[in-house]
């Protein structure tokens, strides 16, 4: 079932909330940023629980940082030095994180107004990024389709390029399985079945190496409680807690699981991508969220499926360049259950 209601206006265009539901789950979607505003699933007592952080007004989505629930692009994560060389030509993209680019530049995809359409059981958003936007070469047509399959939210991405260009798309949903007003996630249990990660230097830009997680705080192969000590641990590259890209190539079945003992809600993650950025909201500043909730440091976990950060500048990383005639496609599924 699909329901549409008014949410706000931007540039003279109405921006609705589109609710997709099937009895097992419900998701609220916004054309602004193709964003997930809310995701409702049942807890162990059968109570509906909204497990995604979000805002009550369009202005907050437009003005606030953090990319809450939005689709990030043209390139999610970092591009070191805000530059890359492609087919012999150097391109300079917008630097918005010191000397680097983060999440697509000054006005990334999560701050764009997307076209949208509803089909039976799904909602599709489309955005055409023009040639030269934020410094990227060639026009890029991006479609993102959200579908509910039982108690699973499935996100399908596609991008078609008019010229060779790096593309790295993800969704930046902030999950709190105690509920969007649940506070710090210090009781959540996280598993990421990855044996390697991509080390970073200053500004969280990858060095180009791969390193084992074994005997490091990044080792989440066994269920790990996200204690306050873990969330407040200083990251040498900057920030706190977890903000690392894991190499999930070769992992069979779900690559990650997040569980909250307060509600009994468990979420597993499956994807066709080779990387997942685990971010424990260590730089999320205090702000007002939905229904008077207050969000802040350590109030959510993001599991962002993507290419490796800065892949366009590291030939040893899996290729992130999309070329004319060869569309990029990926699928990510967040599946919910109770324990």
């Amino acid at each position: 079932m699909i329901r549409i209601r008014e949410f706000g206006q931007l540039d003279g265009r109405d921006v609705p909330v589109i609710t997709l539901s099937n009895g097992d789950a419900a998701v609220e979607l916004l054309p602004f940023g193709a964003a997930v505003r809310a995701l409702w699933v049942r807890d162990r007592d059968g109570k509906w629980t909204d497990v995604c952080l979000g805002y009550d007004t369009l202005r907050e989505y437009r003005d606030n940082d953090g990319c809450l629930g939005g689709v990030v692009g043209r390139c999610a994560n970092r591009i070191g030095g805000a530059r890359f060389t492609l087919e012999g030509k150097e391109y300079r993209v917008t630097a918005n994180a010191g000397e680097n680019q983060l999440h697509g530049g000054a006005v990334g995809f999560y701050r764009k107004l997307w076209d949208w359409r509803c089909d039976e059981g799904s909602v599709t958003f489309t955005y055409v990024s023009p040639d030269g936007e934020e410094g990227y070469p060639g026009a890029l047509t991006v479609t993102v389709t959200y579908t509910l399959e039982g108690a699973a939210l499935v996100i399908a991405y596609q991008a078609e390029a008019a010229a060779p260009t790096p593309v790295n798309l993800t969704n930046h949903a902030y999950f709190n399985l105690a509920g969007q007003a649940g506070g710090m996630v210090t009781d959540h249990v996280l598993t990421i079945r990855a044996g390697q990660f991509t080390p970073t230097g200053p500004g969280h830009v990858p060095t180009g190496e791969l390193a084992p997680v074994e005997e490091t705080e990044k080792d989440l192969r066994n269920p790990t409680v996200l204690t306050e000590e873990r969330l407040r641990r200083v990251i040498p590259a900057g920030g706190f807690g977890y903000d690392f890209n894991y190499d999930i190539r070769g992992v069979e079945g779900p690559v990650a699981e997040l569980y909250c003992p307060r509600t009994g809600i468990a979420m597993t993650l499956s994807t066709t991508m080779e990387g997942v950025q685990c971010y424990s909201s260590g730089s999320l500043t205090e702000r007002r969220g939905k229904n008077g909730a207050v969000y802040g440091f350590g109030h959510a976990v993001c599991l962002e499926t993507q290419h490796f950060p800065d892949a366009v500048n590291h030939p040893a990383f899996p290729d992130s360049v999309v070329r004319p005639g060869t569309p990029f496609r990926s699928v990510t599924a967040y599946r919910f259950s109770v324990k």
Side-chain angles (χ1 to χ4, degrees), residues 7-8 30 32 37 54-64 288-290:
F7 189 68
L30 296 173
F32 188 78
R37 179 179 177 269
Y55 299 119
D56 281 333
T57 68
L58 183 58
R59 183 169 63 180
E60 290 167 308
Y61 280 97
R62 184 195 65 192
D63 295 344
N64 289 347
R288 187 164 297 278
K290 292 176 293 191

Side-chain angles (χ1 to χ4, degrees), residues 310-321:
D310 199 31
V312 69
N313 286 317
H314 299 286
F317 284 179
D319 189 12
S320 67
V321 175

Side-chain angles (χ1 to χ4, degrees), residues 86-87 159-165 167 319-328:
L86 190 57
E87 298 187 346
E160 298 183 63
T165 183
V167 175
D319 189 12
S320 67
V321 175
V322 176
R323 294 173 171 83
T326 308
F328 163 81

Side-chain angles (χ1 to χ4, degrees), residues 197-209 235-238 243-245 277 309:
F197 73 104
T198 53
T200 58
H204 289 272
V205 176
T207 62
E209 304 166 293
I235 301 173
D243 196 2
F244 307 109
N245 172 68
Q277 184 84 14

Side-chain angles (χ1 to χ4, degrees), residues 104-153:
V107 186
F109 289 1
Y110 69 98
R111 281 198 168 117
K112 301 293 184 180
L113 189 55
W114 296 53
D115 293 326
W116 58 278
R117 74 171 193 271
C118 297
D119 298 303
E120 185 175 355
S122 67
V123 180
T124 296
F125 296 95
T126 302
Y127 176 68
V128 180
S129 175
D131 179 25
E133 184 172 62
E134 302 287 347
Y136 288 96
L140 185 75
T141 301
V142 180
T143 60
V144 179
T145 299
Y146 294 95
T147 306
L148 290 178
E149 296 180 0
L153 176 64

Side-chain angles (χ1 to χ4, degrees), residues 1-5 17-30 36 38-41 48 117-125 145-150 152-155:
M1 183 175 71
I2 293 176
R3 183 169 62 91
I4 299 170
R5 63 178 175 84
V17 173
I18 307 160
T19 302
L20 180 64
S21 61
N22 66 358
D24 295 311
V27 61
E28 295 183 7
L29 304 166
L30 296 173
V36 175
L39 180 55
W40 297 87
V41 297
W48 286 105
R117 74 171 193 271
C118 297
D119 298 303
E120 185 175 355
S122 67
V123 180
T124 296
F125 296 95
T145 299
Y146 294 95
T147 306
L148 290 178
E149 296 180 0
L153 176 64
V154 181
I155 310 175

